[in-house]
Amino acid sequence: MSILESIVQFDVAKESDTQAYGVLVDAARFGDSVSDKESFNFLCELGETDYMERFHHNTEGAKKKSGVWKFRTFLPASYSSAKSVIGTALELGIPLADENGKPLGKSALQRAIKDTKDDSKEEKTELEKAQVMLDSVAKVAVKCTAKELDALLDSVEWLGDTIRNLS
């Protein structure tokens, strides 16, 4: 089964999502020159273009003014989701198969992605967390009116007093 056929299966028969997902995993695992997310996306784009040309060539609004296909709008959401999960796994270096060579399911890959991302997060100190919040306030302040800025400054003054009283 090709990527094009996989997309059609995602589109037509919901019960074949698992088989269509398997085609994407196999394309990522065994496809010629697929070694990372970028090469996987390039491989998928070939099938996606074929799909769009076959099924949406006359569909109004299927292309942007620049002539580029609106893949995100017209490809099945379940296909796009599966492609995203596999691409993220490739990006993070997560194996697409278990130790026995059996392809991991989408849910298992999603858990592995979450675990990998959680493990790579550095714990922020309380000061770093506060700095992120203050940076957010500064970004919002740029959009405030003069009256709103006065109110914000009053709040910052109150916050300063409150922090000084803690020590």
Side-chain angles (χ1 to χ4, degrees), residues 21-91:
Y21 170 80
V23 170
L24 288 179
V25 170
D26 287 348
R29 290 177 61 207
F30 307 117
D32 293 336
S33 70
V34 173
S35 59
D36 58 17
K37 183 177 183 174
E38 185 178 334
S39 57
F40 173 67
N41 284 339
F42 178 77
L43 176 68
C44 288
E45 191 172 317
L46 298 174
E48 293 166 2
T49 300
D50 197 11
Y51 172 83
M52 294 297 287
E53 288 172 353
R54 288 186 188 199
F55 299 102
H56 295 290
H57 66 281
N58 288 330
T59 304
E60 190 174 325
K63 286 188 175 183
K64 299 175 185 175
K65 289 181 182 178
S66 64
V68 176
W69 289 108
K70 293 181 181 178
F71 292 122
R72 192 172 289 181
T73 305
F74 288 89
L75 291 171
S78 54
Y79 164 81
S80 297
S81 174
K83 177 185 165 191
S84 175
V85 169
I86 295 167
T88 301
L90 288 169
E91 183 177 45

Side-chain angles (χ1 to χ4, degrees), residues 121-141:
K121 285 184 183 175
E122 292 181 25
E123 281 296 314
K124 291 184 178 173
T125 65
E126 298 305 316
L127 179 59
E128 290 169 327
K129 291 175 187 176
Q131 188 60 52
V132 168
M133 287 186 258
L134 291 172
D135 290 343
S136 295
V137 170
K139 287 177 185 174
V140 171

